[in-house]
């Protein structure tokens, strides 16, 4: 259900992803939070009965919020009625428990305050989670990604989608330290497909931006590629085209 939660996935995320420990939170949600206390979702596309800001027939729920126990900043929704308890937010989009009627398993609503869209999307948390599915990420370069979208998509993308996503951040003015932190994560902890994408992205950096590369992280990354049996031949083939740093 949840993706891995590496520290790099929190970079540039300033909005809270925790909620107040409200007694109206259903026990099923509390049970989910006992293991990871929220996190990014592997499947994040929820079907809808009408178009939303995310698609013609779906909306994206990027994460489930953790429950705050130690004074963490929490999601604020001052424009929503008090009977709604938010558990996920992306800018003006909210997923909330509708507690207007007392219920052990309240229905779930999606609200977009920018366009005043209010949809009931599930009759319980169980129904909500059952409906979540994978999504082909829209990587049109004309569509700017928020930091939350960018980090979440990097966690779930595979193959050609991850190649395309990483290519958005390969130019000379990109933050090379940030990029190499992601490449190191994929090389060390990713799937074989993510590791192959990391090598492809690294090859571009090594060919065209070698003077801008963070030397210590470059050394870590090349050492990791040397240790991956399924990439060793490809790594050495790329290496033949590189000039010395």
């Amino acid at each position: 259900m949840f993706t891995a939660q590496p520290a790099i996935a929190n970079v540039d995320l300033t909005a809270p992803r925790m909620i107040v420990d409200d007694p109206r939170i259903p026990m099923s949600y509390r049970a989910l939070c006992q293991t990871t206390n929220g996190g990014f979702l592997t499947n994040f596309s929820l079907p809808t009965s009408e178009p939303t800001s995310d698609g013609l027939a779906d909306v994206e729920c990027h994460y489930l919020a953790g429950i705050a126990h130690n004074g963490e900043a929490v999601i604020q929704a001052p424009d929503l009625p008090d009977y709604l308890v938010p558990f996920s937010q992306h800018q003006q989009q909210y997923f909330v428990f509708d507690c207007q009627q007392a219920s052990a398993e309240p229905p779930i609503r999606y609200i977009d305050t920018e366009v005043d869209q209010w949809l009931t999307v599930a009759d319980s948390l169980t129904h909500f989670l059952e409906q979540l599915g994978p999504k082909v990420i829209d990587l049109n370069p004309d569509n700017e990604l928020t930091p939350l979208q960018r980090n979440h998509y990097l966690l779930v993308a595979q193959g050609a989608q991850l190649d395309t996503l990483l290519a958005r951040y390969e130019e000379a003015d990109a933050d090379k330290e940030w990029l190499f932190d992601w490449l190191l994560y994929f090389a060390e902890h990713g799937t074989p497909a993510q590791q192959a994408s990391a090598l492809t992205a690294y090859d571009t950096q090594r060919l065209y931006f070698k003077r801008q590369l963070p030397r210590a992280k470059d050394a870590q990354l090349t050492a990791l590629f040397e240790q991956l049996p399924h990439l060793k031949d490809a790594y050495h083939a790329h290496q033949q085209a590189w000039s010395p740093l």
Side-chain angles (χ1 to χ4, degrees):
M1 173 185 292
F2 295 111
T3 69
Q5 309 289 326
I8 185 62
N10 294 318
V11 169
D12 297 330
L13 303 188
T14 56
R17 285 176 289 142
M18 303 289 281
I19 54 175
V20 171
D21 188 2
D22 190 305
R24 296 172 295 175
I25 296 172
M27 292 304 298
S28 56
Y29 193 90
R30 292 181 180 278
L32 282 179
C33 289
Q34 286 180 354
T35 52
T36 64
N37 203 20
F40 287 109
L41 291 164
T42 302
N43 291 328
F44 60 98
S45 174
L46 185 77
T48 56
S49 57
E50 60 186 60
T52 71
S53 298
D54 295 329
L56 293 176
D58 80 310
V59 65
E60 297 178 5
C61 182
H62 294 283
Y63 68 91
L64 301 185
I67 299 173
H69 297 296
N70 299 300
E72 300 96 337
V74 296
I75 295 173
Q76 302 289 337
D79 297 330
L80 299 182
D82 289 341
Y83 61 79
L84 299 177
V85 178
F87 63 87
S88 190
Q89 177 191 9
H90 177 226
Q91 297 185 321
Q92 80 285 351
Q93 298 170 286
Y94 297 86
F95 289 91
V96 302
F97 295 113
D98 186 342
C99 301
Q100 194 166 12
Q101 304 295 327
S103 172
E105 287 293 333
I108 291 172
R109 302 185 78 176
Y110 161 72
I111 300 168
D112 186 330
T113 57
E114 185 173 70
V115 295
D116 199 28
Q117 184 176 39
W118 297 57
L119 301 176
T120 299
V121 291
D123 57 19
S124 66
L125 179 63
T126 299
H127 184 216
F128 177 83
L129 296 176
E130 288 173 347
Q131 292 185 85
L132 289 174
K135 181 172 183 176
V136 177
I137 302 167
D138 180 4
L139 293 176
N140 184 332
D142 294 332
N143 296 336
E144 186 175 350
L145 301 180
T146 68
L148 181 71
Q149 289 172 316
R150 178 199 67 192
N151 291 5
H152 186 204
Y153 294 163
L154 282 166
L155 287 173
V156 300
Q158 299 277 342
Q161 284 220 304
L162 182 54
D163 291 341
T164 302
L165 189 55
L166 288 170
R168 293 174 71 120
Y169 307 105
E170 69 183 13
E171 298 303 324
D173 59 350
D175 183 341
K176 302 301 183 185
E177 294 279 350
W178 172 88
L179 176 61
F180 269 60
D181 282 339
W182 274 106
L183 298 185
L184 283 165
Y185 166 72
F186 291 134
E188 189 167 8
H189 302 290
T191 64
Q194 289 173 321
Q195 290 170 336
S197 293
L199 177 57
T200 299
Y202 175 71
D203 179 52
T204 299
Q205 296 301 306
R206 191 64 177 73
L207 284 171
Y208 302 110
F209 307 108
K210 67 177 185 178
R211 289 185 174 83
Q212 299 173 249
L213 305 187
R215 292 299 180 91
K217 291 176 182 177
D218 181 89
Q220 288 178 266
L221 194 54
T222 55
L224 286 169
F225 287 138
E226 286 275 12
Q227 296 166 17
L228 295 172
H230 63 288
L231 289 183
K232 200 168 185 178
D233 289 346
Y235 170 70
H236 287 303
H238 286 307
Q239 194 177 38
Q240 292 177 15
W242 301 336
S243 58
L245 285 174

